[in-house]
Amino acid sequence: MYMKGSLSVFSIIFLIIGLVIGVSIGYIMHSEKPENTIMGVISYSKTILMPSPLTGVKENVTITTFKNSTNTWYQYIYYSYGNCYLPMWTTVNYYPFNLPNISSNTPNWTVYAFTQNHESVISISFPAVSWSFPQINALPLNAPFPAYQILGNRTAPVILTQLVGDAVGVSYYDGIVYVPSDSNVLYAINAYTGKIVWEATTANSVMSNPIIVKTSKGPIVYVSVGDAGFSASHGIFAVITHNLKNVIRGYSYGAIYAFNATDGQLLWVHFDDGNDMPTPAYINGLLIYGDGSGHIVALNATTGKVVWKDYVGVSAFDSMSSTNYYKFSNGTTIAIIGFTMAEPPYGELVAVNVNNGQIVWKFILPKGYTPFNTGMGDVSPAVDERNGIVVQSTIVNFNPTNRTIGFAVFALNATNGQLLWIEQLGRGYVPPAFKGGVPTIYNGIVYVGSPVTNTIYAINESNGKILWKSVIPNVQGPPNGAGGGRANPVYIKGYIIEPAGAYVDVYNASNGALVKSYYIGGRFGIVNAVIVGNTVFLDNSYSWTFAIPLNDLI
């Protein structure tokens, strides 16, 4: 019989259920699991709320310690950062016994391809080493492109690069090679031995150069993640319905992650609307980058908090154009980023003051040149700090009758964005995916490849005149193939090194003569050579990382 003031049977049941749930949550938030031994490996786990070593923000993490007769290693599984639950848990596996025992005085890696001019050469004492590291999903290097029977040799390599393999090149800092993978993983590999130091999973493809900066709390590695897709509402239907404010590139998560560069511990994470495929630049304590929703964002590199955020314009989005920068003589620094637009003028290069995000200048192509597809939003501009010049490439002037496209390179005054010169270097068919070639500036010469013409060029920086050009060998160009020449060429000791297809090609820098095609296998996407002392480091779309003695190439 029911009596007022007493608990009903159902109330008692719900109370008991609530107590059980509460105890369970408490156990999950701070629980310890007993030791477990499997095949000689002892493991011990605990789940705790642990403050980030950098920001102090609480992270819900399970830490598992593994031991065998000789080594100890760790796994961290992060479920949340503060009140932000991670859509995909970040799992870090750390193997301290594989850390390099040799320290080098390495400069910070602050921008795409290491330097403003994209010359990715680190001139330190480093021995000639040789190794290869297979990542998760690694394919046999002599295997054909997956699904090529259906997709063909034009599309199959691109899908592999964008969704599975490594789209861009590695970064190096203090004896560790940091490898970005489109399989949602960042790897840290001992540069001397090729053994893994740690690996961390992310919420989307790591399609950026890792940025590594030394701080008072140890070195930090930053990576941006995203994808190349468009949802229907943010892509085709936004254009059809003229709702161009709704144009956003990226159908999954876009984010910036900060990890401890030594052991991989998650320090902070920041999410954005749209993709974060491009590489940020580290400038004056800020991480500055363009995103898939048409914004330029500046984060405090210590806290991950937004310092300022600018909207570039309706229908604009940054595809893969990584941030570069230029410093004025008075100390003012501008960040420079390329954007694609779904309406005229279809693309622009934007420079903003890094202190406040105010736009300093915008550049659009002159009359007679119309960017096409993702052109200006794909390529990372190169900056010649000494001469005050910015160089970018893009595809232009699509002809719908014969389906051909032009490949153009242009140079700007870095202080005001005024055009110095523009040259259309040739015509061909539209290449799939990444539409241009990342330029490198070295000693007054612009070196750039073109996937449109499947050719590498040397251009006079002052006037745009072609000094030499050389057809990229062993790669099929559009329309039947994907073409080569997307990565920034690297100058070293009178040679140009440019990976393309399954080869690392070496050219004479003075006349463009092909010196060597060094076979690796698999396929290189937008991957540049990173030269550290006497070794060249590379990764590829088949999910491999390589160390090659420089003397094997030149």
Side-chain angles (χ1 to χ4, degrees):
M1 181 177 68
Y2 174 76
M3 294 177 60
K4 185 176 182 180
S6 67
L7 292 173
S8 70
V9 174
F10 290 106
S11 298
I12 294 172
I13 292 172
F14 285 126
L15 178 60
I16 293 172
I17 292 173
L19 288 172
V20 171
I21 292 173
V23 171
S24 299
I25 292 174
Y27 180 81
I28 291 172
M29 297 302 286
H30 192 128
S31 64
E32 296 184 356
K33 296 180 180 180
E35 286 188 358
N36 191 15
T37 303
I38 300 176
M39 297 181 67
V41 177
I42 301 172
S43 63
Y44 180 84
S45 298
K46 60 180 178 180
T47 300
I48 60 174
L49 281 176
M50 180 177 71
S52 162
L54 185 64
T55 67
V57 173
K58 295 292 182 64
E59 299 172 299
N60 185 13
V61 56
T62 294
I63 304 173
T64 303
T65 302
F66 299 91
K67 295 182 179 180
N68 61 17
S69 59
T70 56
N71 293 311
T72 300
W73 62 101
Y74 306 91
Q75 181 183 78
Y76 303 84
I77 301 178
Y78 295 88
Y79 310 107
S80 65
Y81 175 77
N83 61 3
C84 176
Y85 285 88
L86 302 182
M88 299 180 187
W89 298 344
T90 293
T91 299
V92 178
N93 295 309
Y94 170 45
Y95 309 94
F97 49 86
N98 284 336
L99 277 166
N101 54 18
I102 303 173
S103 181
S104 58
N105 187 22
T106 308
N108 291 336
W109 189 296
T110 61
V111 70
Y112 181 85
F114 184 59
T115 59
Q116 293 163 272
N117 65 342
H118 294 160
E119 173 71 349
S120 46
V121 176
I122 303 178
S123 299
I124 62 173
S125 177
F126 191 92
V129 299
S130 178
W131 50 257
S132 58
F133 175 82
Q135 306 162 25
I136 189 173
N137 300 322
L139 295 169
L141 289 169
N142 61 353
F145 302 130
Y148 82 96
Q149 300 94 332
I150 300 299
L151 299 175
N153 287 329
R154 169 188 166 91
T155 303
V158 171
I159 291 180
L160 182 66
T161 299
Q162 288 185 330
L163 299 178
V164 181
D166 301 353
V168 299
V170 305
S171 301
Y172 173 91
Y173 182 84
D174 205 17
I176 296 179
V177 176
Y178 296 90
V179 184
S181 169
D182 284 359
S183 291
N184 299 15
V185 183
L186 171 66
Y187 297 91
I189 301 173
N190 185 315
Y192 297 89
T193 65
K195 294 181 178 179
I196 188 166
V197 176
W198 58 266
E199 59 189 348
T201 62
T202 61
N204 210 336
S205 297
V206 186
M207 221 177 290
S208 60
N209 272 173
I211 297 294
I212 310 102
V213 178
K214 183 179 181 180
T215 74
S216 60
K217 294 190 176 182
I220 300 173
V221 55
Y222 304 94
V223 292
S224 50
V225 308
D227 60 79
F230 291 89
S231 68
S233 60
H234 290 153
I236 186 170
F237 288 114
V239 175
I240 291 174
T241 61
H242 301 287
N243 183 18
L244 297 181
K245 288 185 178 180
N246 208 34
V247 172
I248 298 175
R249 184 159 208 185
Y251 55 71
S252 186
Y253 296 100
I256 310 295
Y257 287 78
F259 297 98
N260 181 298
T262 302
D263 61 21
Q265 288 193 54
L266 179 65
L267 302 177
W268 57 255
V269 62
H270 166 84
F271 287 91
D272 285 298
D273 187 15
N275 94 81
D276 284 338
M277 291 189 293
T279 302
Y282 178 88
I283 311 169
N284 301 340
L286 301 175
L287 290 171
I288 300 175
Y289 57 95
D291 68 18
S293 66
H295 291 86
I296 300 176
V297 184
L299 302 182
N300 182 307
T302 301
T303 66
K305 300 291 186 181
V306 176
V307 176
W308 53 258
K309 185 175 182 178
D310 279 346
Y311 186 50
V312 172
V314 174
S315 85
F317 60 89
D318 186 353
S319 181
M320 281 286 285
S321 181
S322 298
T323 307
N324 212 328
Y325 64 92
Y326 172 78
K327 290 185 178 181
F328 288 82
S329 57
N330 64 3
T332 299
T333 303
I334 56 174
I336 307 167
I337 306 173
F339 283 86
T340 298
M341 306 175 77
E343 62 179 348
Y346 299 113
E348 60 185 1
L349 207 59
V350 181
V352 298
N353 187 312
V354 301
N355 292 326
N356 52 31
Q358 292 184 356
I359 293 177
V360 176
W361 53 257
K362 284 187 176 184
F363 170 78
I364 61 174
L365 295 184
K367 185 177 180 180
Y369 293 87
T370 303
F372 181 71
N373 205 287
T374 54
M376 291 184 73
D378 269 346
V379 175
S380 305
V383 174
D384 182 340
E385 181 76 33
R386 184 184 63 181
N387 293 322
I389 294 176
V390 180
V391 177
Q392 195 191 33
S393 75
T394 183
I395 58 174
V396 295
N397 302 341
F398 177 66
N399 185 326
T401 302
N402 60 19
R403 312 295 293 177
T404 62
I405 196 75
F407 177 77
V409 178
F410 59 88
L412 309 178
N413 183 318
T415 64
N416 56 24
Q418 294 298 306
L419 181 66
L420 300 177
W421 53 261
I422 183 169
E423 293 290 339
Q424 181 172 302
L425 303 184
R427 293 188 67 84
Y429 293 95
V430 179
F434 194 89
K435 295 294 186 289
V438 179
T440 297
I441 307 171
Y442 185 84
N443 198 26
I445 299 175
V446 177
Y447 299 97
V448 63
S450 166
V452 174
T453 61
N454 206 44
T455 301
I456 187 169
Y457 301 87
I459 304 168
N460 187 310
E461 181 192 25
S462 63
N463 57 26
K465 300 304 180 185
I466 296 175
L467 302 176
W468 57 256
K469 60 182 179 179
S470 185
V471 174
I472 298 171
N474 307 306
V475 177
Q476 188 177 26
N480 297 319
R486 290 172 171 83
N488 53 292
V490 177
Y491 179 96
I492 183 75
K493 298 180 180 180
Y495 297 94
I496 294 295
I497 298 178
E498 174 78 337
Y503 293 80
V504 180
D505 296 321
V506 181
Y507 304 86
N508 184 313
S510 62
N511 58 24
L514 180 67
V515 175
K516 180 181 291 186
S517 284
Y518 185 93
Y519 179 76
I520 294 289
R523 187 246 182 181
F524 292 105
I526 321 166
V527 171
N528 58 286
V530 173
I531 303 173
V532 182
N534 293 300
T535 297
V536 180
F537 295 103
L538 296 156
D539 56 344
N540 74 1
S541 301
Y542 275 43
S543 299
W544 287 80
T545 308
F546 307 95
I548 304 170
L550 179 60
N551 285 342
D552 286 358
L553 298 177
I554 64 173

